Amino acid sequence: MKLFVVEDEAKMARLLERGLREEGHQVDLAASGTEALEQGLGVVYDVILLDWSLPGMDGVSLLRRWRERGLKTPVLLLTARGTVGERVTGLRAGADDYLVKPFDFEELVARLEALHRRGAGHEALTRLGPITLDARRRVIGRDGAEESLTAREYALLAELAGHVGEALTRTELLGTVWGTGFDGAPNVVDVYVGYLRSKLRSVCGDAVTIQAVRGVGYRLAVAKPPRGEA
């Protein structure tokens, strides 16, 4: 399995990473909700292990953001909060399972494996007019022609694809794709839009385009197929 572990306690994160790797799984780590937001949306994981107590954006708030953005990956919520009310809160926020600390590592692995089996069919392909966005392989393709995307390119295209025809501001795109703590060059969105435009043009010409909206930002546009085409 490819797992995403979101845990701010360094010792616990290292133990989880080592144990899960010894079980044969791939593991990525994040230590805060802000850091995990973009990575969870931009990389396809089989299961996410999410700690409730995170600095800045807590685990439940992060989970709600993910679900609002359409993330379907199974999530196991890890927490020291064990009351019925707290479990209900976590499950209603979008958690698929709930494990209270302290826990047995073998039980954790068994629950992760069960979630993987349950969520094995979650959608990895998105249709954008004539092209397909493959989340697992991070490629866009049409009729055998493909272009690979970097993790950041995929995250940006996925965000635009979730709002087809709707203008998103550069600030919104920066916050979602690069994170609210990003302090790099302010034109990074424009640079990556340029990368995506080139790859979209290579695969589908002008059938799917990223349009600049003056004074606002960008929107994804999907051209209607000619009459007689599906």
Side-chain angles (χ1 to χ4, degrees), residues 40-168:
L41 294 170
V43 180
V44 178
Y45 294 101
D46 293 308
V47 184
I48 295 174
L49 179 58
L50 174 63
D51 199 311
W52 184 318
S53 299
L54 296 172
M57 186 190 312
D58 65 58
V60 169
S61 298
L62 171 61
L63 182 53
R64 289 195 181 104
R65 291 279 297 277
W66 275 340
R67 295 310 190 206
E68 287 169 359
R69 302 302 320 134
L71 184 74
K72 295 181 175 63
T73 305
V75 174
L76 172 59
L77 194 60
L78 190 63
T79 178
R81 306 166 188 249
T83 68
V84 172
E86 288 165 335
R87 290 199 298 270
V88 169
T89 296
L91 293 169
R92 285 181 172 170
D96 298 274
D97 199 359
Y98 196 104
L99 189 59
V100 177
K101 300 176 184 178
F103 55 85
D104 181 86
F105 184 74
E106 289 187 5
E107 181 183 1
L108 171 67
V109 172
R111 286 176 179 268
L112 291 171
E113 291 173 345
L115 287 177
H116 182 218
R117 290 193 299 271
R118 194 184 312 166
H122 76 264
E123 189 60 55
L125 300 177
T126 301
R127 293 289 302 182
L128 293 173
I131 72 170
T132 300
L133 175 60
D134 187 327
R136 290 191 178 280
R137 297 170 56 224
R138 284 210 308 266
V139 299
I140 50 175
R142 179 187 187 185
D143 299 331
E146 290 186 341
E147 283 280 356
S148 297
L149 304 178
T150 66
R152 197 79 71 178
E153 289 169 348
Y154 172 81
L156 178 57
L157 183 56
E159 178 65 13
L160 290 165
H163 302 270
V164 173
E166 177 184 343
L168 299 179

Side-chain angles (χ1 to χ4, degrees), residues 17 21 28 33 35 39 73 77-78 84 92 99 112 131 140 142 161 169 174-175 177 185 199 202 214 219-220 223:
E17 180 183 24
R21 288 188 183 278
D28 288 343
E35 176 187 355
Q39 187 165 340
T73 305
L77 194 60
L78 190 63
V84 172
R92 285 181 172 170
L99 189 59
L112 291 171
I131 72 170
I140 50 175
R142 179 187 187 185
T169 68
L174 271 174
V177 179
K199 293 183 176 183
S202 172
R214 188 173 181 180
R219 67 176 168 225
L220 191 73

